[in-house]
Amino acid sequence: MTLRRSRDVPTLVAAARDGDPRAVARLISLVEDGDEALPRIAAALAPHTGAAAVVGLTGAPGVGKSTTTNELVTAFRKAGRRVGVLAVDPSSPFTGGAILGDRVRMQDHATDPGVYIRSMSSRGHLGGLSAATPQAARVLAAAGCDPVVIETVGVGQAEVEIAGLADTTVVLLAPGMGDAIQAAKAGVLEIADIFVVNKADRDGADATYRDIQGMIGLGTRAPGDWRPRVVRCVAARGEGIADLVAAIDEHRAHLAASGALTLRRIRRAEAEIEAIALGVLRARMQDLHSGDSLTTLAREVAEGRTDPYAAADTLLAQLS
Ligand SMILES: Nc1nc2c(ncn2[C@@H]2O[C@H](COP(=O)(O)OP(=O)(O)OP(=O)(O)O)[C@@H](O)[C@H]2O)c(=O)[nH]1
């Protein structure tokens, strides 16, 4: 899919701002495909995207992320808020199965025009998910979604990376999965603003709750810093979701009052700019690969006529 005419961009963005789901879908596809219109789309979106709360929701497979997201969406809709959900699978190069899965699990909201749900994969992004996901979130924010929920399966680094895109990061745990220990190992403790002990109807929920509270207690915090909240939920029955919404709103208020919201967004923009710049560099490197300048340099290194550092300098000069 390409967008050749530059006048299409303002039209699409205007339609998305009016809440037209097809325009939203088209814009996210263009973002996902790394379309050449991306810079123009980003420029057109920029003035309309600042206000939405971005909530990251992550956790191990099967912990109840989709069920919790579904219930969160219900709660936000009851409060009259438009909601966008990006279900990100950092491990899968294709979205096919994920789309079907999310449709099935979030079918409560499939026909609600106030909810936009979209699965994303790492396929074909200029700069990877860390560049595409915030752009997709901006599309949803411009379409009036607040909050935008980014749901991602917990697979180590990717989880931390995606969680870094959110204002508020919610980490789901469930009893009996050794989650608290794993969370500590994977560095999730540092990124979580809120922990949910889901499946609180199961044995061991109290122990998981105590474990995680204990670990939070060990962390070092300056006075006034946010102390991560721990919320018990039985997402399958909608229990505890009101407490989760309250914790999300409380964290948001804390960020706004302390100035941390601005800092987080600046840090996020730094990562995004870097990812985009690296993507551009990688694409230029690819061009050099397909031309013969890299091969020529490599031959000179192989024959001892120059060294790899000097050759890399020459290459970098050609990239700029
Ligand atoms: N007992 C119990 N089961 C739950 C609860 N919440 C979700 N489940 C069940 O746990 C299973 C997994 O839930 P999902 O919401 O699909 O979990 P997920 O984390 O999105 O899973 P992945 O997409 O595989 O990462 C489903 O069978 C749910 O019905 C709960 O609070 N209690």
Side-chain angles (χ1 to χ4, degrees), residues 60-67 105 153 198-199 201-202 233-236:
V63 77
K65 293 179 294 299
S66 299
T67 313
R105 282 176 292 178
V153 69
N198 191 39
K199 308 196 183 184
D201 52 329
R202 292 220 174 139
C233 287
V234 184

Side-chain angles (χ1 to χ4, degrees), residues 70-93:
N70 189 57
E71 292 300 319
L72 269 180
V73 171
T74 303
F76 285 127
R77 291 300 291 146
K78 275 192 187 140
R81 294 165 73 169
R82 247 175 107 77
V83 191
V85 178
L86 293 174
V88 179
D89 185 349
S91 60
S92 155

Side-chain angles (χ1 to χ4, degrees), residues 58-60 154-157 159-160 163 169-173 179-195 212 228:
T58 188
V155 284
Q157 193 47 45
E159 165 183 42
V160 174
T169 297
V170 179
V171 174
L172 262 70
L173 310 169
D179 270 344
I181 313 295
Q182 274 172 22
K185 273 195 200 148
V188 167
L189 269 179
E190 283 79 48
I191 59 154
D193 302 303
I194 299 164
F195 286 98
I212 205 72

Side-chain angles (χ1 to χ4, degrees), residues 35-185:
D35 192 272
E36 62 187 14
L38 211 50
R40 280 177 284 134
I41 292 171
L45 289 173
H48 311 294
T49 57
V54 183
V55 178
L57 195 137
T58 188
V63 77
K65 293 179 294 299
S66 299
T67 313
T68 304
T69 303
N70 189 57
E71 292 300 319
L72 269 180
V73 171
T74 303
F76 285 127
R77 291 300 291 146
K78 275 192 187 140
R81 294 165 73 169
R82 247 175 107 77
V83 191
V85 178
L86 293 174
V88 179
D89 185 349
S91 60
S92 155
F94 303 107
T95 45
I99 288 174
L100 192 61
D102 292 326
R103 281 222 187 111
V104 171
R105 282 176 292 178
M106 296 199 201
Q107 60 193 352
D108 293 3
H109 306 288
T111 55
D112 181 349
V115 179
Y116 191 91
I117 297 169
R118 172 71 172 236
S119 292
M120 291 188 73
S121 72
S122 51
R123 158 185 59 108
H125 294 146
L126 183 68
L129 274 178
S130 46
T133 312
Q135 282 308 328
R138 286 206 180 97
V139 172
L140 292 177
C145 295
D146 183 11
V148 174
V149 179
I150 302 176
E151 180 198 314
T152 181
V153 69
V155 284
Q157 193 47 45
E159 165 183 42
V160 174
E161 183 187 331
I162 302 296
L165 303 175
D167 298 326
T168 298
T169 297
V170 179
V171 174
L172 262 70
L173 310 169
M177 296 171 75
D179 270 344
I181 313 295
Q182 274 172 22
K185 273 195 200 148

